[in-house]
Amino acid sequence: MKKHSSMRRTFAVLLIIGLVSAMFMALPVFAGSDGTEKSAQTIFGLEDLEGKIVGVQTGTTGDIYISDDAELKLKGVERYNTGFEAVQALSQNKIDAVVIDDQPAQAFVAQMNGLTILDTEYVKEDYAMAVQKGNTELLGKLNEAIAALQENGTLQTIVDYYIDHSGEGYSSPKGAEHPNGKLVMATNAEFPPYEYYDDNNEIVGIDADLAMAIGDYLGYEVEISDMKFDSIITSVATGKAQFGMAGLTVTEEREQSIDFTNPYYTGKQVVIVRKSAGAQRETIIDRFKRNFVQAGRWKMLLSGLGVTLVITLFSTLFGVLIGFVVAIIRSTHDKTGGLRILNIIAQVYTTVIRGTPTVVQLLIIYYVVFASVNIPKIIVAVIAFSMNSGAYISEIIRSGIMSIDEGQFEAGRSLGFNYAQTMRYFILPQALKNVIPALGNEFITLLKETSISGYIAINDMTKVGDVIRSRTYDAFMPLVTVALVYLLLVFIFARLWGVLEGRLRRNG
Amino acid sequence: MAENLFNKPLIRVENLFKIFGENDTKKPTVNAIDNVSLEINRGDVMVIIGPSGSGKSTFLRSLNLLEQPSSGHIYVNDVDITDKNVDIDKHRQKMGMVFQHFNLFPHLTILRNLTIGPEKLQGRSIKDAEREGMELLERVGLADKARSYPNQLSGGQKQRIAIVRSLAMHPDIMLFDEPTSALDPEMVGEVLEIMKDLARSGMTMVCVTHEMGFAREVGTRILFMENGRVTADGAPDEFFNNPSNPRLRDFLSKVLQ
Ligand SMILES: Nc1ncnc2c1ncn2[C@@H]1O[C@H](COP(=O)(O)OP(=O)(O)OP(=O)(O)O)[C@@H](O)[C@H]1O
Ligand SMILES: [Mg+2]
């Protein structure tokens, strides 16, 4: 009868957990199909661009092509100073699509969540260098250099490095001489991977490296001059710069003001659009797979769970030991007045631990106490959490000891048991039985508290959930899953603890 | 040797004082025991009476040092147990004590309450201790409760268990502090019967109690305490029939009516 009702309760709680998780899982699907329509993918091909607003970087080929393209029947074109601004506007729902170079497009989509590139490219184009009209001498030299560098593989090396991140970029050969003077290159360094500022604030990229290689080949020093994209053609046309190189597409319009070299690279203009965070196009199962099955990420989660459990179990074990010793020191002092020094130490310990945040204790133990000691971080965590829970457990046990009637103590002593024996046989067994519920709570608290282990770069369950989040750009699935695992752990533990409590209560 | 011992008092109390609050300047001091000297002989059944707060409990608890005397000496078998070098735990084994509120160990079975002392302190085997424990339970009519826990017993049953828990240690003397005061009236009798049996069997007993019938029937000596002093000490007959002390007369007239 009793067993039956408790089983029913277990079933009910499991049902609730199941429903809550189902609700969580279903949530984005509902959200995708109503309300936040803006974030769902609605553009799957060029024909879907009708009536939409498209963003471009001012003056780029994308800008030129799209502005003249009546076939698309766009609602409008928004121009941005940089490709990044355009893409950001797209992800903030301000515009519907961005037309941009294929290579930077791939870089943006990889970095930002919820964006995708349409399968059909918008336009294919040839990139060439621009020189002043009529400067046939330079034009000839540049064409010769491009041909030579294409021939000897230097160009391919540079492209591989910036696009596939393989091999090494271009660097001038030792002792390269530039007897022919200086060439100024006009560019717009906001256009990865062609030209952009690297972490050292230097302009790098395919164009920048190729210009360097051409300079080395022809015996010129190349000076890169960064300017607005709009100004490149003008500054080449007016002779301020000897050549322009910025992923410039060969167009008839441009050929009226400058001359183009032979193309050194064929690029594509593509369309970036928003996809929803997984609604419509991605089923829950796909999403689950993407988060946990892909790249074997479930193994990460499992090992995170293991780490969490190891830290919690060992910390509880040592925490109980510490708590026991401290509680006995303190209550012995309270009862007999002995152990003065130890009591002061114990009092300072519990005051400090209970008066400071656990995460600060963890950081202090890792970065201060064990600063110069090389021990595994997981041991550091166990030490920190043991000390932390020890303080709380000691207070729990102490209050348990204090709750035992003085008469129990007198009965033990009057029979001839000494202080330690009386504690051991009569006081502690009763005290522990009284504090079993509080100790269970402390275990649950500790289990959840270990989630701060990530602060010292331990891959516990919480940290792993966060790592998965940063890899899949999906906050929801990994974090909610982690939350549910904690919930389940706490639930199972509470059940087991309840059984233990019930069993103890039955005997007296 | 044994003959020699037998002639000596079992307990000799010399100039005993107990002052509460002597180390605490914030509280007033209380002279709970004020210069008590007396002897307790083997086989004595001493009954201590007196008004509330007169120091009866304090005196009784001093005898096994549950209360540390402020000064004075207590000799048990000629050994001064107030001496710091004396192993008081050894002496307490031989001085059973029964409390007003029983103080059974609630986490142990009734039988275990009886056997844990003999087993842990006197090195008796569990089997041996349990056999004797069962005998004692039978003697007080509670053998069927051996496997029960204290909270399953009535007050009177608990107190009977508390008495045999002490007896299991084979004490030389039994100290009782108002053993029937916390009991419902219908249960007083069963506990007093056990105590009377014990007295008749020759056990040395010191009992603080208001049960004058018990005192008259089995008491060999009555002590009257007032303000920490023993102001009357005599055999029951003269004590009850011809009390000289006016305050004792007053006290008796109140408790006897
Ligand atoms: N632990 C203590 N601290 C301070 N004073 C105490 C303490 N125990 C007893 N006293 C005081 O000592 C005096 C004697 O107390 P005691 O308990 O021995 O009296 P009693 O004769 O047993 O009284 P009752 O019949 O009420 O049990 C009382 O004034 C009491 O208040
Ligand atoms: Mg009293």
Side-chain angles (χ1 to χ4, degrees):
Chain A
M1 174 68 188
K2 202 171 168 193
K3 190 150 206 171
H4 196 75
S5 78
S6 84
M7 260 170 64
R8 253 207 319 252
R9 209 169 50 225
T10 307
F11 182 73
V13 175
L14 281 175
L15 197 71
I16 290 169
I17 291 181
L19 282 177
V20 168
S21 38
M23 227 172 65
F24 272 132
M25 300 287 183
L27 200 67
V29 176
F30 296 145
S33 54
D34 62 56
T36 52
E37 172 128 346
K38 274 185 195 160
S39 64
Q41 183 168 357
T42 54
I43 301 169
F44 299 101
L46 293 177
E47 64 284 358
D48 295 333
L49 287 172
E50 186 179 334
K52 303 286 194 226
I53 298 173
V54 174
V56 292
Q57 183 183 0
T58 313
T60 57
T61 15
D63 183 7
I64 294 164
Y65 277 91
I66 209 102
S67 304
D68 294 344
D69 200 333
E71 243 172 77
L72 289 178
K73 301 196 190 86
L74 297 178
K75 189 178 173 195
V77 175
E78 287 285 336
R79 294 184 177 78
Y80 296 90
N81 279 331
T82 65
F84 177 70
E85 281 172 44
V87 173
Q88 204 170 36
L90 172 66
S91 79
Q92 289 166 355
N93 291 330
K94 288 174 187 151
I95 53 176
D96 302 304
V98 169
V99 171
I100 192 169
D101 257 54
D102 183 38
Q103 295 309 335
Q106 297 200 5
F108 286 133
V109 168
Q111 279 165 28
M112 294 169 87
N113 201 9
L115 299 181
T116 188
I117 298 172
L118 292 187
D119 292 339
T120 40
E121 66 219 28
Y122 176 52
V123 76
K124 246 188 162 145
E125 56 186 12
D126 292 328
Y127 292 157
M129 299 165 81
V131 296
Q132 198 174 25
K133 248 192 162 2
N135 191 349
T136 46
E137 194 204 334
L138 182 60
L139 188 67
K141 281 184 181 175
L142 291 177
N143 277 334
E144 182 201 329
I146 290 168
L149 293 173
Q150 254 163 356
E151 186 78 16
N152 69 16
T154 306
L155 178 58
Q156 194 56 48
T157 310
I158 293 170
V159 170
D160 286 348
Y161 176 68
Y162 283 101
I163 288 171
D164 300 334
H165 305 286
S166 65
E168 289 181 23
Y170 178 81
S171 54
S172 297
K174 273 214 176 100
E177 287 179 32
H178 305 121
N180 302 331
K182 189 170 82 175
L183 291 177
V184 173
M185 162 179 158
T187 194
N188 171 225
E190 290 176 358
F191 207 53
Y194 297 105
E195 44 268 316
Y196 59 97
Y197 285 94
D198 70 2
D199 294 338
N200 301 323
N201 215 25
E202 279 173 37
I203 297 173
V204 295
I206 293 173
D207 290 350
D209 279 19
L210 181 57
M212 202 75 71
I214 289 171
D216 289 339
Y217 180 83
L218 296 174
Y220 287 103
E221 183 191 338
V222 173
E223 181 188 310
I224 299 178
S225 170
D226 184 23
M227 60 188 72
K228 287 243 158 58
F229 191 80
D230 285 347
S231 317
I232 296 173
I233 302 285
T234 342
S235 76
V236 172
T238 56
K240 284 206 186 93
Q242 276 69 51
F243 67 95
M245 200 177 184
L248 290 172
T249 312
V250 181
T251 66
E252 279 179 25
E253 194 186 347
R254 284 174 180 160
E255 274 181 322
Q256 285 167 12
S257 2
I258 41 91
D259 284 340
F260 278 110
T261 62
N262 297 329
Y264 58 85
Y265 187 75
T266 301
K268 287 189 282 184
Q269 291 284 312
V270 296
V271 184
I272 307 179
V273 296
R274 277 187 304 277
K275 60 173 180 184
S276 81
Q280 296 193 351
R281 304 238 89 192
E282 191 181 31
T283 66
I284 283 297
I285 294 172
D286 286 343
R287 189 177 185 184
F288 186 83
K289 279 188 186 155
R290 182 163 62 86
N291 276 287
F292 301 121
V293 180
Q294 250 180 43
R297 279 191 273 266
W298 60 273
K299 283 183 224 149
M300 283 171 69
L301 201 65
L302 218 58
S303 91
L305 171 64
V307 169
T308 291
L309 287 178
V310 163
I311 294 177
T312 307
L313 291 177
F314 280 97
S315 302
T316 308
L317 194 73
F318 294 122
V320 167
L321 281 179
I322 295 172
F324 221 76
V325 171
V326 170
I328 287 179
I329 289 170
R330 296 212 52 198
S331 43
T332 298
H333 177 80
D334 289 349
K335 274 193 202 294
T336 68
L339 307 179
R340 276 250 314 279
I341 305 291
L342 282 176
N343 183 58
I344 290 172
I345 294 172
Q347 234 169 331
V348 169
Y349 161 71
T350 47
T351 307
V352 168
I353 295 289
R354 298 204 304 165
T356 54
T358 314
V359 64
V360 176
Q361 294 161 18
L362 179 69
L363 291 174
I364 287 178
I365 288 183
Y366 184 58
Y367 288 111
V368 181
V369 179
F370 291 115
S372 53
V373 189
N374 190 19
I375 61 169
K377 280 191 288 242
I378 206 159
I379 294 182
V380 174
V382 167
I383 291 171
F385 287 116
S386 300
M387 288 186 62
N388 180 267
S389 66
Y392 291 93
I393 291 174
S394 78
E395 286 300 293
I396 292 172
I397 295 179
R398 192 166 82 104
S399 76
I401 292 173
M402 288 306 168
S403 75
I404 304 300
D405 182 46
E406 183 65 20
Q408 289 293 305
F409 204 78
E410 293 186 345
R413 295 308 305 267
S414 76
L415 283 171
F417 287 92
N418 63 28
Y419 178 85
Q421 289 169 324
T422 304
M423 271 294 188
R424 175 172 160 207
Y425 294 125
F426 309 121
I427 307 301
L428 287 178
Q430 295 185 59
L432 287 181
K433 201 182 281 187
N434 286 352
V435 302
I436 288 286
L439 284 179
N441 280 339
E442 178 56 27
F443 179 88
I444 289 172
T445 305
L446 187 62
L447 173 71
K448 290 178 292 176
E449 198 130 63
T450 59
S451 62
I452 60 171
S453 300
Y455 274 85
I456 60 169
I458 287 178
N459 285 319
D460 74 313
M461 194 162 57
T462 301
K463 182 68 188 297
V464 166
D466 207 42
V467 167
I468 293 178
R469 181 185 67 78
S470 73
R471 302 240 173 109
T472 60
Y473 298 107
D474 182 359
F476 190 84
M477 188 67 88
L479 295 184
V480 168
T481 302
V482 164
L484 286 173
V485 174
Y486 277 111
L487 187 62
L488 198 68
L489 286 180
V490 168
F491 172 73
I492 291 171
F493 172 78
R495 292 292 309 169
L496 292 177
W497 203 250
V499 170
L500 177 73
E501 255 180 80
R503 202 167 282 172
L504 283 175
R505 209 174 305 125
R506 240 168 291 139
N507 334 332
Chain B
M1 189 68 184
E3 192 68 16
N4 200 0
L5 257 177
F6 219 83
N7 292 334
K8 288 197 166 164
L10 179 61
I11 292 178
R12 186 153 50 85
V13 176
E14 258 179 23
N15 305 108
L16 194 69
F17 286 84
K18 175 67 187 181
I19 304 164
F20 284 112
E22 36 180 2
N23 300 322
D24 192 344
T25 48
K26 275 172 249 149
K27 285 188 203 151
T29 58
V30 178
N31 291 2
I33 303 176
D34 194 359
N35 197 9
V36 170
S37 300
L38 55 79
E39 291 178 354
I40 302 169
N41 293 307
R42 281 170 204 281
D44 269 357
V45 177
M46 177 186 275
V47 175
I48 304 178
I49 61 173
S52 181
S54 57
K56 307 181 295 293
S57 295
T58 307
F59 175 71
L60 193 77
R61 290 157 57 82
S62 298
L63 293 180
N64 67 354
L65 296 203
L66 275 189
E67 217 68 79
Q68 190 65 41
S70 302
S71 68
H73 297 275
I74 299 166
Y75 298 90
V76 176
N77 284 328
D78 263 353
V79 177
D80 183 0
I81 60 169
T82 60
D83 184 338
K84 286 272 176 292
N85 297 321
V86 166
D87 180 3
I88 184 62
D89 296 319
K90 265 252 143 3
H91 283 274
R92 281 181 181 147
Q93 290 181 28
K94 291 288 164 190
M95 305 171 85
M97 188 161 214
V98 176
F99 302 87
Q100 186 175 350
H101 295 285
F102 334 125
N103 298 351
L104 294 181
F105 304 123
H107 62 301
L108 303 178
T109 63
I110 297 303
L111 186 59
R112 192 61 182 144
N113 265 272
L114 267 62
T115 58
I116 190 165
E119 188 209 325
K120 301 289 180 195
L121 300 174
Q122 297 177 333
R124 310 262 300 268
S125 72
I126 295 223
K127 228 174 121 191
D128 189 25
E130 287 192 344
R131 186 189 42 74
E132 192 183 345
M134 288 309 296
E135 278 173 23
L136 285 165
L137 287 178
E138 251 152 53
R139 187 165 145 193
V140 295
L142 291 170
D144 57 324
K145 301 290 184 192
R147 305 281 160 206
S148 304
Y149 284 87
N151 63 2
Q152 297 165 318
L153 268 55
S154 74
Q157 291 172 328
K158 281 185 201 169
Q159 197 61 298
R160 286 188 271 162
I161 298 299
I163 293 170
V164 285
R165 176 176 68 179
S166 290
L167 290 179
M169 296 295 289
H170 295 280
D172 293 334
I173 183 171
M174 288 284 288
L175 311 174
F176 294 84
D177 191 358
E178 304 201 34
T180 58
S181 298
L183 297 179
D184 290 340
E186 72 268 24
M187 293 176 185
V188 170
E190 63 193 58
V191 172
L192 287 181
E193 273 317 306
I194 306 281
M195 290 172 66
K196 286 177 194 166
D197 279 352
L198 201 56
R200 289 185 197 111
S201 75
M203 175 61 74
T204 312
M205 295 163 69
V206 180
C207 311
V208 176
T209 182
H210 299 295
E211 297 295 334
M212 294 306 153
F214 171 83
R216 253 191 233 264
E217 204 179 321
V218 295
T220 60
R221 233 171 115 186
I222 317 288
L223 245 60
F224 181 61
M225 285 190 73
E226 295 174 274
N227 300 322
R229 291 163 178 271
V230 176
T231 54
D233 179 356
D237 277 351
E238 52 178 301
F239 207 96
F240 288 112
N241 300 334
N242 194 12
S244 51
N245 181 331
R247 283 179 309 277
L248 172 59
R249 243 190 333 251
D250 193 43
F251 178 79
L252 285 175
S253 74
K254 273 185 207 146
V255 293
L256 284 175
Q257 61 180 267

